[in-house]
């Protein structure tokens, strides 16, 4: 039986970050990463469209936590210990230059996730961390002061065990066998499938909007992107994250109300439309987009209001003005189903946060059992926040592992 001081199950972002920080703190420890796949860091490779959105430029812990539908309260303390600025410094110290983009997302200057992967592999090699691929863990159990792991390639013994397997149902089942509570996983970041004549010919059109789910308290605002299958963009993705559990309960069949003018009310817009009618009497309504809306979207909403292409402002009646104001501020769309957002499949669910000590990321039920990343019931909106959770948890766990 192979014996180690620390075994990390899961060769992803949280697993590597734990291993490297533990080895730097105590180079004498014998450390192994067990990865069930043929490749490590595969999710890092595809994240951010292959550019790896490392973290986000939010440097106030209490503000940063507001991006986590699950984990907001628990991460406040940890973010005071290791945060976005610490992440940037960590990579900078290892020769990885990062840049902040306009929307706050942080990427390697190289615009390639391979830069992050190379950094981790180089550090792991330098620190003599063993990386064992194609090692699927079948079971693990506590025997006296050690953890015994049974894999498809033999048995292992370790003093300390880190679980960093992300959303892996098999590992969650093994943790349930150890009496850990697992919150059922449901999809978190996803786009909305909508078939509607108003947006059918508008894929690629983007604008700022506010969106709310009808018969619910869920709402959000921000850039909304019309796609071939429906709607995406930050406004929709935020809704999907905050509403992960509720939208799952709706079986992804619900109505949304879109305000294409964000914060204007229908009544306010009726007044503005009347002014447009007086000022542009001879002009065709559909010809010039108003309210800084994309032209194709404006034309679609005008058509949906029963106003023909050759109708001039002077000829628009009261009913059409009222209908247009409602299309602009209260467009109702039927959502039927969801699609995964790129390759960045994120779930809400995992180890119940009440069973974890967030000063150490150690299990409250078992000594020397640690968790980091998405194996916990923590998830975030898109923008580098899920990675920051992984870095923070892994870093704090590494400090705890080496201080004992």
């Amino acid at each position: 039986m192979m014996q180690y001081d620390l075994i990390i199950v899961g060769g992803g972002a949280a697993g590597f970050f734990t291993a490297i920080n533990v080895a730097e703190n105590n180079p004498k420890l014998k450390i192994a990463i067990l990865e069930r796949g043929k490749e490590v860091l595969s999710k890092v490779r595809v994240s951010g469209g292959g550019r790896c959105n490392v973290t986000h430029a939010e440097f106030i812990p209490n503000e940063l936590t507001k991006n986590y539908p699950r984990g907001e309260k628990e991460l406040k303390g940890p973010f005071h210990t290791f945060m976005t600025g610490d992440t940037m410094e960590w990579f900078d110290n290892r020769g990885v230059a990062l840049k902040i983009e306009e929307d706050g997302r942080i990427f390697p200057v190289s615009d390639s996730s391979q830069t992050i992967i190379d950094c981790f592999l180089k550090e792991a090699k330098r620190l003599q961390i063993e990386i064992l691929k194609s090692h699927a863990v079948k079971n693990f159990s506590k025997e006296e002061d050690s953890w015994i792991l049974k894999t498809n390639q033999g048995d292992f013994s370790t003093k300390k065990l880190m679980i960093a397997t992300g959303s892996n149902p098999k590992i969650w089942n093994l943790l349930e066998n150890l009496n850990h509570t697992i919150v059922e996983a449901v999809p978190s970041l996803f786009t909305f499938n909508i078939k509607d004549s108003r947006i059918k010919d508008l894929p690629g059109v983007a604008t700022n909007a506010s969106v709310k789910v009808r018969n619910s308290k869920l709402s959000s605002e921000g850039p909304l992107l019309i796609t071939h299958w429906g709607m995406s963009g930050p406004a929709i993705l935020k809704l999907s994250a905050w509403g992960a559990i509720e939208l799952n309960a709706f079986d992804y069949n619900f109505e949304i109300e879109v305000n294409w003018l964000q914060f204007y009310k229908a009544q306010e817009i009726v007044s503005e439309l009347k002014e447009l009618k007086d000022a542009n009497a001879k002009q065709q309504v559909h010809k010039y987009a108003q309210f800084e809306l994309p032209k194709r979207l404006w034309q679609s909403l005008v058509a949906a209001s029963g106003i023909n292409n050759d109708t001039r402002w002077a000829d628009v009646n009261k009913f059409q003005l009222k209908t247009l104001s409602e299309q602009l501020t209260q467009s109702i769309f039927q959502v039927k189903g969801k699609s995964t957002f790129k390759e960045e499949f994120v779930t809400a669910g995992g180890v119940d946060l009440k069973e974890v000590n967030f000063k150490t990321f150690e299990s409250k039920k078992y000594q020397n059992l640690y968790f980091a990343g998405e194996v916990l019931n923590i998830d975030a909106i898109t923008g580098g926040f899920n990675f920051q959770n992984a870095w923070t948890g892994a870093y704090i766990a590494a400090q705890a592992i080496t201080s004992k």
Side-chain angles (χ1 to χ4, degrees):
M1 188 183 292
M2 298 283 284
Q3 295 192 321
Y4 291 86
D5 296 301
L6 169 66
I7 285 179
I8 294 155
V9 183
F16 268 82
F17 211 71
T18 305
I20 292 164
N21 282 292
V22 168
E24 286 208 315
N25 292 347
N26 188 346
K28 292 176 185 173
L29 296 180
K30 192 179 180 190
I31 303 168
I33 295 172
L34 303 185
E35 166 56 45
R36 64 176 173 160
K38 289 178 182 172
E39 293 296 326
V40 291
L41 300 162
S42 53
K43 201 165 180 181
V44 171
R45 185 179 299 283
V46 299
S47 74
R51 297 197 298 145
C52 190
N53 184 184
V54 176
T55 185
H56 200 95
E58 173 53 73
F59 302 102
I60 301 164
N62 288 2
E63 291 300 312
L64 182 62
T65 61
K66 289 177 183 172
N67 297 286
Y68 296 83
R70 282 144 292 274
E72 179 178 357
K73 176 167 64 80
E74 290 80 5
L75 288 173
K76 277 184 182 168
F79 282 159
H80 279 88
T81 300
F82 192 89
M83 238 308 283
T84 45
D86 303 298
T87 299
M88 294 181 78
E89 186 183 7
W90 193 95
F91 282 106
D92 187 56
N93 288 343
R94 286 156 186 82
V96 177
L98 300 175
K99 60 175 178 178
I100 301 173
E101 300 204 335
E102 269 183 38
D103 59 4
R105 291 182 302 163
I106 296 174
F107 292 92
V109 169
S110 66
D111 274 331
S112 171
S113 56
Q114 193 61 46
T115 306
I116 304 299
I117 294 168
D118 289 345
C119 168
F120 284 156
L121 294 177
K122 182 181 165 190
E123 289 293 283
K125 187 177 180 182
R126 176 177 73 85
L127 296 161
Q128 298 182 310
I129 296 161
E130 289 184 46
I131 302 167
L132 304 172
K133 301 172 192 173
S134 302
H135 276 64
V137 173
K138 294 182 172 179
N139 200 10
F140 48 87
S141 57
K142 190 84 185 273
E143 292 185 17
E144 295 177 0
D145 291 338
S146 294
W147 286 93
I148 306 300
L149 291 87
K150 295 188 178 300
T151 80
N152 62 335
Q153 301 209 36
D155 297 352
F156 295 79
S157 168
T158 181
K159 293 189 181 81
K160 290 169 185 175
L161 178 61
M162 159 61 84
I163 306 293
T165 46
S167 309
N168 183 335
K170 286 181 181 171
I171 298 296
W172 279 333
N173 288 340
L174 294 178
L175 288 166
E176 271 191 315
N177 293 342
L178 292 172
N179 294 318
H180 260 294
T181 308
I182 304 298
V183 178
E184 188 182 352
V186 296
S188 180
L189 286 181
F190 51 86
T191 60
F192 294 175
N193 294 352
I194 299 168
K195 284 187 176 172
D196 191 291
S197 58
R198 287 169 293 177
I199 60 170
K200 181 172 173 280
D201 299 321
L202 304 182
V205 169
T207 187
N208 284 318
S210 55
V211 188
K212 57 185 179 187
V213 176
R214 300 187 88 199
N215 303 317
S216 130
K217 291 179 180 173
L218 292 169
S219 66
S220 94
E221 68 276 331
L224 185 153
L225 171 69
I226 297 169
T227 67
H228 288 286
W229 57 86
M231 291 182 191
S232 183
I236 297 297
L237 294 168
K238 273 192 276 187
L239 262 192
S240 76
W242 288 99
I245 293 162
E246 201 171 332
L247 300 181
N248 178 258
F250 289 155
D251 198 20
Y252 308 106
N253 199 332
F254 54 92
E255 286 183 334
I256 56 170
E257 186 178 299
V258 179
N259 185 340
W260 299 106
L261 306 181
Q262 277 198 289
F263 307 114
Y264 282 99
K265 294 195 166 53
Q267 199 51 48
E268 296 170 323
I269 294 304
V270 168
S271 306
E272 297 221 16
L273 290 173
K274 283 177 180 170
E275 287 177 23
L276 283 167
K277 178 179 161 80
D278 294 339
N280 306 296
K282 292 182 178 178
Q283 208 177 78
Q284 289 174 334
V285 179
H286 98 290
K287 197 165 187 181
Y288 298 102
Q290 306 296 333
F291 309 107
E292 297 180 11
L293 282 176
K295 187 174 184 181
R296 289 195 295 149
L297 176 61
W298 166 259
Q299 291 175 337
S300 176
L301 296 175
V302 166
S305 306
I307 300 169
N308 296 328
N309 285 359
D310 53 1
T311 303
R312 296 175 307 163
W313 277 105
D315 302 324
V316 178
N317 61 39
K318 267 187 186 176
F319 177 75
Q320 287 171 323
L321 282 182
K322 180 174 177 290
T323 307
L324 179 55
S325 72
E326 287 167 357
Q327 286 290 345
L328 289 164
T329 60
Q330 300 168 354
S331 281
I332 292 164
F333 294 90
Q334 179 68 44
V335 177
K336 288 194 171 175
K338 59 173 174 51
S339 297
T340 304
F341 175 60
K342 298 184 181 172
E343 300 89 351
E344 297 171 41
F345 186 70
V346 174
T347 59
V351 176
D352 194 319
L353 305 185
K354 294 188 198 76
E355 299 175 0
V356 180
N357 175 357
F358 281 92
K359 288 180 179 165
T360 58
F361 280 75
E362 187 176 19
S363 162
K364 287 181 180 177
K365 297 198 170 218
Y366 294 91
Q367 272 197 321
N368 297 324
L369 174 62
Y370 298 84
F371 305 106
E374 281 183 53
V375 70
L376 294 164
N377 183 28
I378 294 176
D379 63 284
I381 63 171
T382 184
F385 301 106
N386 282 300
F387 272 137
Q388 187 56 51
N389 165 47
W391 313 138
T392 296
Y395 180 86
I396 290 172
Q399 305 311 302
I401 287 165
T402 46
S403 67
K404 274 193 181 180

